[in-house]
Amino acid sequence: MKPETLKSEPILGIDLGTTNSLVGVVDSGFPILLADETGSRSTPSVVGLAEDGKISVGAVALRQRALHPTRTITSVKRLIGRRPGEAGWTPPYSLSDLKTSPVEVSAEILKHLKAVAERALEQPVSRAVITVPAYFNDAQRNATRRAGELARLEVLRILSEPTAAALAYGLDKLGEHQKVAVFDLGGGTFDISVLEMREGTFQVLSTAGDTQLGGDDIDRLLAEFISDRLKLPPNDIRVLEGAESVKKRLSNDETASFHGLHITRAELERIARPWIERTRLHCLRALSDAGLKPEQLDEVILVGGSTRMPLVRDYVRELFQREPNTSQNPDEAIALGATIQAGILGGSLRQVLLLDVTPLSLGIETFGGLMNIIIPRNTTIPAKAGEMFTNAVANQDNMLIRILQGERELAKDNWELGRIEVPFPAGPKGSARVGVQFSLDANGILNVLARDTATNTDSTLEISGTAIDVEDERVEQMIAESVDFAFEDMNERIWTEAKLKAEELLPAVDAALAQLGESTEVRECAAEVRRLLDSPEHNAAALKAANQKLDDATQSLAVMLIERAMEESLVRRGLV
Ligand code: AMP
């Protein structure tokens, strides 16, 4: 290989966190994080919008929070890519009053990080890898990408945070074969992922999490406890800041005080425990999706500031029945992983392959309002899959394809990401042949291709900006609901399928009866199917059974039809 004569422009690795953000680059083959002029490698993800239009970012903005709570924007990551009210969290500021948006605010943080990097590197930079929680959906990933572009950064890759953490952990273990879980509890989000590392490749086997669970919640509960004891107004920003500081001190000490009030670690743990326990189901789900038992994991890696809490470590130890791995600096692992990925993309680190997975299933609505999954949840991306569909009704000359994301059986309960209309020549039922292909790129951006195979006409759709129009439900809520409603959903799916089958069967039975005359058994079976179809109670199992009985009864009709036809033919040919 020829030596490089020009110093190539480095690619930034950025952890755009809920509470703090970090930036790094690969320098002489090593990933390093960059410090600002005060020597700090971590920038608070806080933006201040002064009345005179002046914008401040980071520690400066955070210092002014108590003075200007409504003009200081914190935890904007909880809002990005969501509709107003969808985040399930009411910030102490109003972005619309401030005439800004989560994308613009995130862009300010990214501009600041870019400036930190340019100052440290003494050269301009224009490309970056940015991390997002594994649970971010298309809308949230795209919004993050737009924030990067607004900050004049070409976003080469949107990387899942646990994947980044595993990359930081696994860089010196590239020859090994390991299965690891990354337990990431930060300020605002919780992520759990199971990954497999083998010969320098990383494959995410499963991910789960809660985008509304983190240290901030514990701060709020502790602040309520403190303001209650000290008779201070709740929601006072100083109490909230005091609570966070007490919480952090209690990670090392048994007691801490605030305005003369002594708080013990045991008290904090009593308050925090129910929140920490909310991670349990997600962990079990990630393990079961990966098809692993806790003892089959090689390591459970802790990342995110909140994993410094002894309670969290105890809880993880108990849940996974092993000592958690605390080798990574919980605040820096993700940024380091993003930097490693940036180094790989830029060619300054040897190639490590990174495989990511889909957090939610992707599919389309089919006849009867059912969800037809094309790319299942937890599929490794990039991924490509397709299926053929036909027309359910005669003389139909187009098909409306609704692209859905979610885990529910009925289309209406999933999120619509977009729709395409595919025209085709009208014909009898079942005559059209429309192929639908989903292709998910490495960033989780979905391209949909629908082709009428008779005319080879393609209709395509890229789900990027339009993915903002997802319904007012949250990703983890989707998973929880798919479990909660599993029974009802399955009943509705069986009902719908049975109903479609009955509607196909009945006209055929009527026709056969007309030809063969009476068959009391068949007539009774058909009447039972009709009765169940008309009944308001949607008894799916009964309808399915009745269909089966009718089908069986018509088998004898079919045999009779064949026998009669043969007999007639034999008679015609004078053989009997
Ligand atoms: P992250 O989002 O990973 O930057 O994590 C930030 C969260 O970690 C915040 O909720 C912090 O309060 C919390 N945190 C940081 N240090 C500690 C500590 N020593 N003990 C407990 N929580 C901490």
Side-chain angles (χ1 to χ4, degrees):
M1 204 193 289
K2 283 186 217 150
E4 280 183 321
T5 45
L6 277 175
K7 195 175 170 204
S8 63
E9 189 197 290
I11 303 169
L12 302 181
I14 295 179
D15 170 8
L16 184 60
T18 309
T19 330
N20 293 299
S21 296
L22 298 93
V23 57
V25 289
V26 170
D27 183 25
S28 317
F30 289 103
I32 53 157
L33 299 182
L34 302 168
D36 63 14
E37 64 251 22
T38 70
S40 171
R41 293 196 295 223
S42 168
T43 297
S45 304
V46 181
V47 174
L49 297 177
E51 238 156 303
D52 62 4
K54 217 171 149 275
I55 299 172
S56 56
V57 180
V60 181
L62 185 60
R63 275 199 294 277
Q64 292 168 359
R65 178 164 71 157
L67 273 178
H68 306 290
T70 59
R71 306 198 71 94
T72 307
I73 304 163
T74 53
S75 296
V76 76
K77 191 172 174 179
R78 289 193 165 194
L79 305 173
I80 199 162
R82 292 173 175 278
R83 284 175 173 179
E86 199 185 19
W89 170 69
T90 316
Y93 48 80
S94 155
L95 290 183
S96 53
D97 286 355
L98 294 169
K99 300 198 169 42
T100 187
S101 69
V103 169
E104 284 168 349
V105 174
S106 303
E108 289 304 328
I109 300 169
L110 290 169
K111 271 186 217 164
H112 180 90
L113 297 172
K114 181 173 182 266
V116 166
E118 289 178 339
R119 189 188 149 276
L121 299 168
E122 298 178 332
Q123 75 177 110
V125 285
S126 60
R127 295 176 299 170
V129 168
I130 303 179
T131 57
V132 294
Y135 254 66
F136 260 26
N137 61 19
D138 280 351
Q140 292 163 306
R141 282 168 197 255
N142 281 316
T144 304
R145 179 181 288 281
R146 282 207 310 284
E149 281 157 9
L150 213 57
R152 297 190 172 279
L153 284 170
E154 186 192 342
V155 182
L156 300 182
R157 185 68 60 92
I158 295 284
L159 184 67
S160 288
E161 287 162 9
T163 310
L167 204 47
Y169 159 81
L171 192 62
D172 58 347
K173 301 175 190 65
L174 292 180
E176 297 173 26
H177 181 191
Q178 289 200 359
K179 293 196 179 86
V180 301
V182 176
F183 183 103
D184 177 359
L185 189 60
T189 59
F190 168 64
D191 271 301
I192 174 82
S193 296
V194 179
L195 299 100
E196 183 167 16
M197 307 168 20
R198 196 204 302 253
E199 290 149 17
T201 70
F202 289 70
Q203 182 170 8
V204 183
L205 301 179
S206 64
T207 75
D210 185 336
T211 53
Q212 308 290 324
L213 175 63
D216 296 354
D217 300 307
I218 294 166
D219 298 349
R220 221 174 317 116
L221 292 170
L222 185 61
E224 276 169 26
F225 174 85
I226 292 173
S227 58
D228 193 46
R229 293 289 161 96
L230 293 177
K231 304 273 172 283
L232 286 170
N235 302 330
D236 185 309
I237 211 88
R238 274 154 299 203
V239 178
L240 199 62
E241 284 173 357
E244 187 188 5
S245 149
V246 164
K247 176 189 75 175
K248 287 186 183 173
R249 273 181 281 147
L250 288 176
S251 289
N252 290 318
D253 306 331
E254 287 295 332
T255 64
S257 61
F258 177 76
H259 286 259
L261 176 71
H262 290 283
I263 301 142
T264 65
R265 187 188 285 171
E267 276 171 325
L268 169 69
E269 294 190 343
R270 208 176 50 239
I271 292 167
R273 189 156 185 107
W275 283 84
I276 307 300
E277 280 174 353
R278 285 175 52 181
T279 60
R280 183 165 184 272
L281 274 181
H282 300 294
C283 292
L284 296 181
R285 171 137 199 164
L287 278 173
S288 107
D289 282 354
L292 293 178
K293 297 200 175 70
E295 58 269 24
Q296 289 173 298
L297 290 172
D298 291 289
E299 294 285 351
V300 179
I301 303 160
L302 297 187
V303 293
S306 299
T307 62
R308 286 208 173 87
M309 290 180 74
L311 175 67
V312 173
R313 297 185 173 193
D314 293 345
Y315 193 71
V316 171
R317 186 180 301 115
E318 205 181 299
L319 191 59
F320 288 92
Q321 296 153 41
R322 72 182 55 245
E323 200 52 42
N325 179 307
T326 52
S327 67
Q328 297 304 302
N329 178 330
D331 307 315
E332 297 189 343
I334 290 166
L336 220 49
T339 300
I340 293 167
Q341 175 69 68
I344 293 164
L345 291 175
S348 48
L349 274 182
R350 66 171 264 209
Q351 187 68 29
V352 186
L353 226 70
L354 202 58
L355 305 165
D356 219 334
V357 297
T358 53
L360 288 174
S361 301
L362 294 162
I364 69 168
E365 174 176 349
T366 52
F367 196 59
L370 295 176
M371 165 78 165
N372 184 94
I373 292 176
I374 295 190
I375 298 184
R377 170 181 149 74
N378 280 332
T379 300
T380 302
I381 59 172
K384 213 179 209 181
E387 227 176 288
M388 295 293 292
F389 296 91
T390 188
N391 55 323
V393 180
N395 298 323
Q396 192 179 332
D397 63 0
N398 72 73
M399 206 184 272
L400 177 69
I401 297 183
R402 291 180 65 214
I403 295 117
L404 306 172
Q405 185 177 34
E407 304 309 315
R408 303 290 299 276
E409 297 285 344
L410 299 190
K412 69 175 174 57
D413 296 323
N414 290 316
W415 305 347
E416 180 174 320
L417 295 182
R419 34 174 86 191
I420 343 181
E421 221 174 87
V422 188
F424 48 78
K429 170 174 159 38
S431 61
R433 289 283 174 275
V434 175
V436 177
Q437 189 185 66
F438 278 20
S439 109
L440 254 180
D441 72 11
N443 296 312
I445 308 281
L446 176 66
N447 277 287
V448 181
L449 167 81
R451 173 175 297 167
D452 170 26
T453 55
T455 57
N456 265 344
T457 329
D458 287 350
S459 315
T460 56
L461 180 68
E462 190 194 282
I463 314 271
S464 47
T466 50
I468 291 283
D469 286 333
V470 288
E471 290 194 359
D472 294 65
E473 287 163 44
R474 300 177 292 154
V475 178
E476 66 272 21
Q477 219 170 24
M478 166 67 71
I479 306 269
E481 281 171 5
S482 75
V483 176
D484 292 348
F485 293 108
F487 182 76
E488 289 91 333
D489 274 12
M490 201 32 93
N491 191 62
E492 263 317 289
R493 173 176 279 273
I494 295 170
W495 168 262
T496 307
E497 282 169 356
K499 178 167 166 273
L500 294 176
K501 164 121 196 193
E503 284 166 0
E504 213 175 87
L505 218 51
L506 288 172
V509 168
D510 289 346
L513 282 176
Q515 214 178 327
L516 281 170
E518 269 318 303
S519 159
T520 329
E521 192 199 353
V522 172
R523 215 169 268 290
E524 274 170 8
C525 288
E528 176 62 4
V529 169
R530 285 207 168 84
R531 187 187 68 76
L532 287 164
L533 265 185
D534 292 341
S535 136
E537 78 186 270
H538 283 203
N539 187 338
L543 181 61
K544 202 175 161 194
N547 273 340
Q548 189 59 50
K549 241 176 118 184
L550 178 60
D551 214 10
D552 291 346
T554 50
Q555 292 298 320
S556 59
L557 269 192
V559 172
M560 277 164 66
L561 274 174
I562 293 168
E563 276 173 1
R564 180 173 300 184
M566 278 175 67
E567 217 171 283
E568 280 169 6
S569 143
L570 293 177
V571 169
R572 251 200 327 276
R573 286 191 270 157
L575 294 173
V576 287

